Amino acid sequence: EGCENEYGFRAFMGSGLTMGVILQDRDFAEKMMNEIVYNREYMLHDFYILTQGYGGNTNAENAGYEYHIPEQGRGYLVCFRPSLSGEQFTTFKLKGLEAEATYVVRNADTGETHEFTGEELMTLGMEVEFPRAQVSHMIYFDKK
């Protein structure tokens, strides 16, 4: 799989970018480049591996990674359902939040917005739905 969809693009996303593909869809390319530029600042701060597959099962287990700027109370969760995963739902427990604070959580892909306390996000977690394999979500959280 290449960078022709959000899943592939986000799987290769980092603080720098090297692309060996030609993106035919200019609007999609612009959207993803804007996402990378916006997210790059987060990548210079706290990073947590929340879930991921290991060894031979990386294509079978949903994965989630958190980037967080604690001093600003904001961050994001990028999560993936790979090709061989049968898991439609995964609960991600965020890290490094202020337990008493309220966070506005926005899924950039679905447009859904919810509010949780830091305690809820760290202990109960946030359930994310993946309607099919090869889906990713970019979920931002901001302290209110």
Side-chain angles (χ1 to χ4, degrees), residues 12-136:
F12 290 104
M13 187 170 52
S15 61
L17 177 65
T18 302
M19 292 181 358
V21 297
I22 298 171
L23 296 173
Q24 302 296 323
D25 184 340
R26 185 170 174 78
D27 291 337
F28 173 74
E30 185 175 334
K31 172 190 167 200
M32 297 315 295
M33 293 304 295
N34 288 336
E35 184 173 289
I36 286 174
V37 169
Y38 182 81
N39 289 342
R40 214 165 46 179
E41 178 186 6
Y42 293 99
M43 296 177 191
L44 301 174
H45 297 274
D46 294 0
F47 171 70
Y48 303 98
I49 297 172
L50 303 178
T51 62
Q52 72 175 22
Y54 292 95
N57 71 349
T58 56
N59 285 331
E61 289 191 27
N62 296 352
Y65 310 101
E66 175 188 346
Y67 292 89
H68 183 213
I69 307 174
E71 301 80 15
Q72 297 177 13
R74 61 189 181 101
Y76 73 83
L77 162 68
V78 60
C79 49
F80 305 89
R81 178 180 173 185
S83 58
L84 301 178
S85 171
E87 297 298 320
Q88 182 177 352
F89 297 92
T90 300
T91 299
F92 297 97
K93 294 180 181 179
L94 300 183
K95 299 181 185 246
L97 306 180
E98 294 178 30
E100 303 79 26
T102 298
Y103 291 85
V104 177
V105 177
R106 178 180 59 86
N107 186 320
D109 297 302
T110 66
E112 292 178 66
T113 302
H114 301 282
E115 290 188 10
F116 300 95
T117 66
E119 180 76 20
E120 290 171 323
L121 289 170
M122 292 187 295
T123 59
L124 300 174
M126 169 181 27
E127 185 176 70
V128 177
E129 180 179 7
F130 300 93
R132 65 186 187 291
Q134 293 293 110
V135 169
S136 68

Side-chain angles (χ1 to χ4, degrees), residues 130-142:
F130 300 93
R132 65 186 187 291
Q134 293 293 110
V135 169
S136 68
H137 289 287
M138 181 63 64
I139 301 172
Y140 295 97
F141 57 90
D142 293 281

